[in-house]
Amino acid sequence: MASRQPYHGNSRKLVLAFDVGTKYSGISYYILKPGGIPVIQGVTRFPCQENIGGDSKIPSVIYYDQEGAVRAVGEEALQESTIKKAEDEGWTKLEWWKLHLRPRDMASFHTAVQVLGDFMKYLRRCAKTCIEETHASGSDLGRPVQNNTEFILSHPNGWEGPQQAQIRRAAIIAGLVPDTTEGHGRIQLSDQGAIVVDAGDVTIDISAYSMTTVSPLSLEEIAPAECYLQGSIFVSCRAREFLEAQLNGSRFGNNENITQMTDAFNRTVKLGFSNAQKPSYIMHQIRHYVAALSEPSVNAIIDAVELLRRTARKEIRIVFLIGSFAASKWLFAKLQAHMHTIGLEFYRLDKHMSKAVADGAIAFYLDHQVNVA
């Protein structure tokens, strides 16, 4: 990609991109300054994660009390003190809520739109705090750009008019923008370009797009999107099932040992494995080939790419791999070999893959905006 050009606007502008995921969520941003070269940055400090260092995502978890008020969000919701208080006071914990239109155990006013709005309000507050603490002039930034902040909100493949309208409504509930024509204009919904394989913890989303114009940059979908439940969490599930079968009846076959070995697999083997001919060892020298555990995910991606190539209205030449599961050496190597075999260029975003969606959304915005006179 060619170097970005300086921003030609007359005043400073803050651009925030929210990637609200099923399990984790992240934020990317840029402070547009007249004459400045855009550099995408990320929020890496969140409440209760200060000592972890460099975290670019928080859990998509939220607690409500019995009156429907938000009591804890993100990593705060996973603290022992929060869990104890939630049990004592009857709070309701929501996780994986993005998959549900309306949580069954919540009051009627807590629709998915309301929960999304509450969650984005929290993300906005985290972004504000991070920017103020990170930049020398951060504390002076808020008021000048309060009405000159634009928001880029990512959304799952296949979400069309009604769902996009709900996202915009959630942004208003969150207080990101006012419910006015001007306010609506400060919200942009983001998608991806070319064939993008977004390999996450739970799902693998695969989209095909074509660039219709270069300036301004414009993309159109050229094939129906595909989504598979074959993210990295299912590799972990298959590893646990393998261990349970191998250790059944042995002194290591209890739940505690199986859980410890599965955790060890997740930490040291799952993403670092790269050679199918070399066995990987987990606790107690249990040997198995990780390739067999990852193969269903690899095959799902290959099948989807082939399907999109057949159904796309235009020729596909390039594939991008993003998402947290993209860190898997085995996944990348297998896909790279296949894509090259069929004549496709194949790339992986090596830096900050866990927030590639948010970074990609803001990159799309910047590449569209910085050349505006």
Side-chain angles (χ1 to χ4, degrees), residues 197-206 227-238 292-301 325 331:
V197 178
D198 185 358
D201 294 314
V202 179
T203 63
I204 295 177
D205 296 310
I206 305 171
C227 180
Y228 297 89
L229 289 172
Q230 284 293 352
S232 63
I233 192 172
F234 294 98
V235 179
S236 302
C237 291
R238 288 190 285 268
L293 304 177
S294 302
E295 204 68 27
S297 299
V298 173
N299 290 338
I301 294 173
F325 196 11
L331 181 73

Side-chain angles (χ1 to χ4, degrees), residues 217-265:
L217 181 62
S218 177
L219 305 174
E220 67 171 348
E221 190 174 52
I222 58 175
E226 296 292 323
C227 180
Y228 297 89
L229 289 172
Q230 284 293 352
S232 63
I233 192 172
F234 294 98
V235 179
S236 302
C237 291
R238 288 190 285 268
R240 185 181 182 93
E241 292 172 355
F242 174 87
L243 291 169
E244 290 173 342
Q246 292 294 310
L247 298 175
N248 184 36
S250 76
R251 63 190 181 95
F252 302 116
N254 59 72
N255 182 69
E256 182 178 357
N257 280 334
I258 294 295
T259 298
Q260 290 178 350
M261 284 183 272
T262 303
D263 290 343
F265 169 83

Side-chain angles (χ1 to χ4, degrees), residues 293-321:
L293 304 177
S294 302
E295 204 68 27
S297 299
V298 173
N299 290 338
I301 294 173
I302 290 176
D303 290 345
V305 169
E306 295 286 10
L307 175 61
L308 265 62
R309 289 184 72 204
R310 293 193 303 269
T311 58
R313 299 192 301 273
K314 298 181 181 179
E315 181 181 4
I316 299 295
R317 296 184 178 180
I318 189 169
V319 177
F320 294 100
L321 178 65

Side-chain angles (χ1 to χ4, degrees), residues 10 93 97 106 118 155 182 189 192 213 228 238 357 363 373:
N10 296 321
K93 178 183 179 182
W97 48 267
M106 294 297 293
D118 290 338
H155 60 83
E182 183 274 337
L189 302 183
Q192 304 295 314
T213 62
Y228 297 89
R238 288 190 285 268
V357 173

Side-chain angles (χ1 to χ4, degrees), residues 180-198:
T180 63
T181 301
E182 183 274 337
H184 293 184
R186 289 163 48 198
I187 299 174
Q188 299 190 32
L189 302 183
S190 170
D191 45 33
Q192 304 295 314
I195 277 191
V196 176
V197 178
D198 185 358

